[in-house]
Amino acid sequence: MPHNELTIPAILPLYPLKDMVAFPYMVFPLYLDEPELALFRAAQDQYDGFVAVSFPRKEPQGSDILSTLHEIGTVCRVTQIKKVSGGRFKVTLEGINRIRLIELERVAPYPLVQAAVVREFVEKGLVSEALVQSLIGLLKISLSYGKPLPDDVMKMIDYIDNPARLSDLVALYVNLPQSDLQELLETVDPLERLKKVYVHLTNEVQKLQVHGEMKTELNKRVGKNQKDYLLREQMKQIQEELGEEDPRNADVADLRKRIDEAEMPEEVRKIALKELKRLEKINQASPEYNVSRTYLDYLAGMPWSISTEDSLDISKAEAVLDEDHYNLKKVKERILEFLAVRSLKDTMKGPVLCFVGPPGVGKTSLGRSIARSLGRKFVRVSLGGVRDEAEIRGHRRTYIGALPGRIIKEIYRCGSNNPVLMLDEIDKLSHDFRGDPSSALLEVLDPEQNFSFQDHYLDVPFDLSKVMFITTANQMDPIPGPLKDRMEIIRLAGYSSEEKQHIANRFIIPREIEENGLAKTPPGFTREGLIKLIREYTREAGVRNLQRTIAQVLRKLAKEVTQGKPLREQITPEVVAELLGPRKFHDEVAAESDRVGVVTGLAWTETGGDILFIEATSMPGKPELILTGSLGDVMKESARAALSYVQAHAAEFGIPDGVFENRTIHIHVPSGAIPKDGPSAGVTMVTALVSLLTGKPARRTVAMTGEITLTGRVLAIGGLKEKVLAAHRAGVKTVLAPSRNRDDLEDIPENVRQELEFQFIDEAAQAVAAVL
């Protein structure tokens, strides 16, 4: 019987739906327990099987059920009650018509409600027919995109010309939220409902179209992948028949074997195996494959548990150090101490030594000798000009072309986790917007932290505590305080003339004879010829220029040999002068006579010690002090303090009264293009001023150093050894130094101490008395 011909009672049992909206012509099941079944049995027995259902608008509260439900609901007919497993019942309902809930008749034992059927009037016209045809067309389009409908619904579509029924049918088909479904249920006008359903269905079809296009593209890709897979499998089968191996499989197998043999820490091994599984899934043509492959190669190649055995024979180590380097007692003693402790204790953290000294004194070559004496591998990393933090800690693997930092890379190359690693020129580090590499070195050089050093590229901790770090620097000032604090500073001063002779005879001359092709007929250097080379053609703290000069002499001899000239068997001073021409350096002190207002001072530079002449003069003019010679702020302050002291003690020095009135005093330090700074020229300036103002000449063969105070006290200075060696090279006979530096005499070579006279002073007046 058609729905519109059914007689529906005015009073109906009411059942609130929980999570669905019921429409006319809709058949749906409810699964209920025994207590809820009474309502539906009563509907069958007393109300011709009819029951009212409605979707709740809010949670039920109290006995007023009607206020919690939407006013428009659906009258349904119970078509079947069937017992199912678990003691529950399946009640099948069929939607009949829209109803309006008017009044609640009673609540118990089940709710009864007074309801009125909502009559729908459809006026067929062009608009309704066009909408119906459009809806049917959209349904068929959606079917073509794989959105199936039940068979009975598909049969009904072409025969339905009723807009109301079609709109309800399509509303069930389109996936809409419950609030939108309730809105459609409450839209009583069939034409309006049809329009709303048409909009919803249009959106649904558009989504299906996008989804369909994506699915088509996906199918194409999947088809290509399947084809590639089949081809690879065939190729693998052919290679097996031919006895060949797939390069990709060989790569993975080789990496797996290396990971197993690397003896990594467990957490690192887990990461490596996880990355290896990922590598197996990556297409070999993908750029990601090479990134992952390189990362695994570094992980498997790191010397996680590979160490070289230390040579603990102290006598042998001492012999090796003496064989490679002359003197340098403090450095050799420190290395032998390390070996002694290492022989008593199996595990110890590697020290961090910092060799500070002028260029050419053998800092870098000393690191190589230390590695040889310990029996360890030697790695050198130059830090000069490094300004990117990633050079130390590496780049993260997310960047294109990422690589580990220099520390990890060099350890990977040397294949040992306890090498001697030299960080050369640590004072030449700089920083910019890419980071501060000196800050990145803080973790590397701290034995309390570097046992778990984490390079950005590896992204796993690596133990650097077994590495023996050696750093070199020309000066300490540019090195940041926290980095300096992590290192054990060992200062290497320049060499005296006698030490340079020993180094030249033992190391430089034999090597340069071999380098210049004169090994078969080696010439000999006389002692006097070598001294002439050292004193008149080179002036430096180290021996680099000496090596170049010796090489220059030997090259000229090689040229003579190739021209058929007789070989010179001995290199005498005359031969040196003939081959090298006029001398380049003169003894500044010995060549000059004593003069008024000119005093010899001593200075320290990053290339070693040097002598410094302080000149003072005066002229008529307003009372002022002029300072020239590229002087720094500290040195200018020393000059003012010296003048104040001299003015305050003018009577003690025999300076005439009124000499400071209407006189301009000028202090100049020659070599004006070279910047100079520091407080240690204070006592020299006092002496120069007293010499000028008393008219007494100062002895040029007396050199001095010391910081002056306003009361005339002489304070300690640094770099005494370098200054004394410079004085010795320049022909100075007497050195005046602060009494507080008396203990520094131990560092000065014995032969230099014997050739120089030392006077230690506490007051500036003592210096004046010794020089004037």
Side-chain angles (χ1 to χ4, degrees):
M1 185 183 293
H3 289 180
N4 54 7
E5 296 179 9
L6 292 173
T7 303
I8 298 171
I11 304 297
L12 292 170
L14 174 65
Y15 183 77
L17 294 176
K18 294 182 176 61
D19 53 4
M20 64 181 295
V21 178
F23 277 80
Y25 304 101
M26 174 181 172
V27 177
F28 59 96
L30 295 175
Y31 292 90
L32 308 171
D33 294 322
E34 177 70 38
E36 296 176 289
L37 210 59
L39 184 148
F40 295 96
R41 292 199 189 281
Q44 282 183 318
D45 295 340
Q46 303 172 30
Y47 303 97
D48 296 333
F50 292 109
V51 62
V53 297
S54 181
F55 184 68
R57 73 174 80 200
K58 58 184 178 180
E59 288 295 322
Q61 292 178 347
S63 60
D64 188 6
I65 300 173
L66 214 58
S67 64
T68 65
L69 299 175
H70 284 280
E71 184 183 357
I72 300 294
T74 306
V75 61
C76 300
R77 184 165 56 184
V78 181
T79 59
Q80 185 184 32
I81 298 177
K82 183 180 179 182
K83 189 172 185 179
V84 293
S85 60
R88 305 193 77 197
F89 291 85
K90 175 185 176 183
V91 177
T92 306
L93 300 177
E94 179 190 0
I96 303 298
N97 212 333
R98 286 173 172 75
I99 56 171
R100 188 181 305 276
L101 305 180
I102 299 172
E103 188 178 351
L104 186 67
E105 295 289 326
R106 73 175 192 202
V107 176
Y110 47 83
L112 283 179
V113 68
Q114 183 182 349
V117 176
V118 176
R119 301 296 176 186
E120 298 179 10
F121 300 97
V122 181
E123 290 186 8
K124 290 187 179 181
L126 291 175
V127 175
S128 65
E129 287 181 10
L131 280 173
V132 168
Q133 293 303 317
S134 299
L135 270 177
I136 293 172
L138 283 174
L139 280 173
K140 290 182 177 178
I141 291 172
S142 67
L143 284 171
S144 68
Y145 282 110
K147 183 84 172 180
L149 282 173
D151 291 340
D152 55 341
V153 175
M154 289 181 66
K155 290 175 184 175
M156 292 165 59
I157 285 177
D158 288 330
Y159 299 104
I160 296 176
D161 59 353
N162 185 340
R165 187 169 180 189
L166 184 64
S167 61
D168 288 343
L169 187 66
V170 176
L172 298 177
Y173 168 73
V174 182
N175 295 322
L176 293 176
Q178 289 172 340
S179 58
D180 290 345
L181 288 173
Q182 180 64 35
E183 184 187 346
L184 286 174
L185 186 70
E186 292 178 355
T187 306
V188 177
D189 184 351
L191 204 56
E192 283 299 315
R193 192 159 72 242
L194 205 59
K195 290 177 183 177
K196 289 182 180 179
V197 170
Y198 179 78
V199 171
H200 288 306
L201 187 58
T202 303
N203 291 334
E204 181 75 12
V205 168
Q206 286 174 347
K207 290 177 187 176
L208 288 171
Q209 283 177 329
V210 173
H211 181 71
E213 289 169 6
M214 290 172 59
K215 191 174 180 181
T216 304
E217 183 64 28
L218 184 64
N219 288 336
K220 284 181 185 176
R221 292 186 184 180
V222 169
K224 184 180 181 303
N225 289 341
Q226 286 175 340
K227 182 182 176 183
D228 290 349
Y229 173 75
L230 289 171
L231 287 172
R232 284 198 193 94
E233 289 298 316
Q234 289 173 1
M235 188 168 68
K236 194 186 297 181
Q237 189 67 32
I238 293 167
Q239 285 171 337
E240 286 178 4
E241 292 291 333
L242 293 173
E244 298 176 357
E245 191 176 7
D246 183 3
R248 177 192 176 92
N249 292 340
D251 263 4
V252 172
D254 177 58
L255 283 169
R256 191 181 300 278
K257 181 182 176 185
R258 288 174 60 195
I259 289 169
D260 291 338
E261 293 173 353
E263 297 183 28
M264 303 174 176
E266 189 56 35
E267 64 271 17
V268 179
R269 177 181 165 80
K270 286 178 183 176
I271 291 170
L273 291 175
K274 184 179 178 181
E275 187 68 21
L276 189 64
K277 283 184 181 178
R278 182 169 167 269
L279 181 71
E280 290 176 331
K281 298 174 184 176
I282 300 174
N283 188 340
Q284 202 165 4
S286 168
E288 190 67 24
Y289 181 84
N290 284 328
V291 172
S292 184
R293 171 79 176 76
T294 307
Y295 174 66
L296 281 170
D297 185 60
Y298 269 106
L299 269 187
M302 289 299 294
W304 300 99
S305 56
I306 302 172
S307 304
T308 52
E309 191 173 346
D310 286 344
S311 173
L312 301 177
D313 188 341
I314 295 179
S315 302
K316 181 182 174 184
E318 189 172 14
V320 169
L321 291 170
D322 288 338
E323 182 184 330
D324 291 349
H325 289 270
Y326 179 77
N327 205 343
L328 302 180
K329 291 179 182 177
K330 280 190 174 180
V331 182
K332 294 175 181 177
E333 188 179 348
R334 180 65 185 84
I335 302 309
L336 297 178
E337 288 170 3
F338 169 75
L339 275 179
V341 175
R342 181 71 182 78
S343 63
L344 297 173
K345 188 181 180 187
D346 290 339
T347 57
M348 66 175 293
K349 294 173 180 175
V352 180
L353 306 179
C354 180
F355 298 151
V356 182
V361 296
K363 300 186 296 295
T364 303
S365 59
L366 191 57
R368 193 173 280 104
S369 298
I370 290 170
R372 195 159 76 89
S373 67
L374 293 172
R376 294 189 178 193
K377 294 187 177 181
F378 177 72
V379 176
R380 177 181 167 273
V381 176
S382 178
L383 298 178
V386 171
R387 61 181 61 212
D388 188 353
E389 179 220 358
E391 288 284 322
I392 307 298
R393 299 190 67 98
H395 304 81
R396 299 193 185 280
R397 280 188 295 137
T398 49
Y399 298 117
I400 295 172
L403 282 173
R406 298 281 295 278
I407 308 292
I408 291 295
K409 199 187 297 181
E410 294 300 334
I411 288 176
Y412 169 82
R413 283 176 184 164
C414 81
S416 167
N417 64 9
N418 66 336
V420 173
L421 201 155
M422 172 161 276
L423 301 173
D424 226 351
E425 311 291 355
I426 198 169
D427 57 330
K428 308 298 188 301
L429 282 172
S430 54
H431 62 273
D432 62 7
F433 63 93
R434 286 168 289 192
D436 184 1
S438 62
S439 299
L441 279 175
L442 293 176
E443 182 186 5
V444 174
L445 297 181
D446 191 345
E448 298 300 322
Q449 299 178 39
N450 65 12
F451 65 89
S452 61
F453 173 69
Q454 197 148 335
D455 185 272
H456 286 157
Y457 181 82
L458 289 188
D459 204 24
V460 292
F462 185 84
D463 186 4
L464 293 179
S465 63
K466 297 178 183 177
V467 178
M468 183 175 189
F469 288 101
I470 297 175
T471 64
T472 71
N474 294 131
Q475 49 185 331
M476 291 300 296
D477 294 342
I479 303 175
L483 189 58
K484 200 184 300 180
D485 185 58
R486 283 161 167 77
M487 302 185 291
E488 185 178 334
I489 310 298
I490 298 177
R491 295 188 180 274
L492 282 74
Y495 296 113
S496 66
S497 295
E498 187 176 340
E499 286 174 331
K500 287 183 181 180
Q501 290 175 49
H502 284 289
I503 292 168
N505 285 321
R506 284 180 55 180
F507 304 107
I508 299 174
I509 293 173
R511 185 166 65 239
E512 290 303 323
I513 286 174
E514 182 71 32
E515 288 289 326
N516 290 284
L518 297 172
K520 292 182 180 178
T521 54
F525 281 76
T526 65
R527 182 175 182 275
E528 293 76 16
L530 196 54
I531 289 174
K532 186 176 181 69
L533 263 177
I534 292 168
R535 291 185 175 174
E536 298 181 11
Y537 292 91
T538 64
R539 180 148 295 171
E540 56 175 344
V543 291
R544 224 172 248 146
N545 280 329
L546 177 60
Q547 179 180 346
R548 290 193 196 100
T549 310
I550 290 171
Q552 187 179 355
V553 170
L554 293 175
R555 283 196 303 272
K556 292 182 182 297
L557 292 180
K559 179 186 172 188
E560 291 182 353
V561 170
T562 57
Q563 290 175 340
K565 295 180 182 179
L567 177 69
R568 304 175 194 254
E569 295 181 359
Q570 294 292 321
I571 311 298
T572 61
E574 294 75 24
V575 174
V576 170
E578 181 188 341
L579 295 177
L580 297 180
R583 64 190 293 176
K584 295 180 180 178
F585 299 98
H586 297 80
D587 289 340
E588 294 94 334
V589 174
E592 297 284 345
S593 58
D594 299 344
R595 288 194 291 173
V596 173
V598 181
V599 181
T600 307
L602 297 175
W604 180 90
T605 68
E606 63 179 67
T607 57
D610 203 356
I611 63 167
L612 206 65
F613 294 108
I614 306 288
E615 299 182 355
T617 188
S618 65
M619 62 212 83
K622 61 179 180 180
E624 66 173 334
L625 176 65
I626 299 174
L627 302 171
T628 56
S630 297
L631 308 186
D633 291 339
V634 177
M635 203 164 184
K636 288 178 182 178
E637 289 174 0
S638 292
R640 293 189 185 98
L643 179 60
S644 298
Y645 169 72
V646 171
Q647 286 176 321
H649 298 80
E652 298 173 22
F653 293 124
I655 299 171
D657 292 339
V659 74
F660 295 102
E661 296 177 9
N662 301 319
R663 302 289 293 179
T664 298
I665 296 176
H666 187 166
I667 294 178
H668 176 68
V669 184
S671 300
I674 301 172
K676 310 166 193 73
D677 203 3
S680 61
V683 70
T684 316
M685 290 178 176
V686 168
T687 310
L689 287 170
V690 174
S691 171
L692 168 71
L693 298 172
T694 59
K696 297 177 182 179
R699 287 193 289 158
R700 291 288 285 257
T701 56
V702 179
M704 65 192 72
T705 180
E707 182 180 353
I708 191 75
T709 69
L710 278 177
T711 57
R713 289 187 303 119
V714 179
L715 304 181
I717 45 84
L720 182 66
K721 181 180 179 182
E722 289 86 349
K723 292 176 181 178
V724 169
L725 292 176
H728 182 256
R729 284 195 296 269
V732 169
K733 302 301 179 187
T734 305
V735 174
L736 304 184
S739 295
R740 299 180 186 183
N741 287 105
R742 190 185 298 272
D743 294 338
D744 294 341
L745 273 187
E746 293 179 10
D747 297 335
I748 297 168
E750 181 64 31
N751 64 304
V752 176
R753 278 187 282 175
Q754 290 176 356
E755 293 179 24
L756 292 176
E757 179 188 348
F758 289 91
Q759 293 184 23
F760 292 96
I761 57 176
D762 293 304
E763 299 288 337
Q766 294 174 271
V768 172
V771 175
L772 302 185

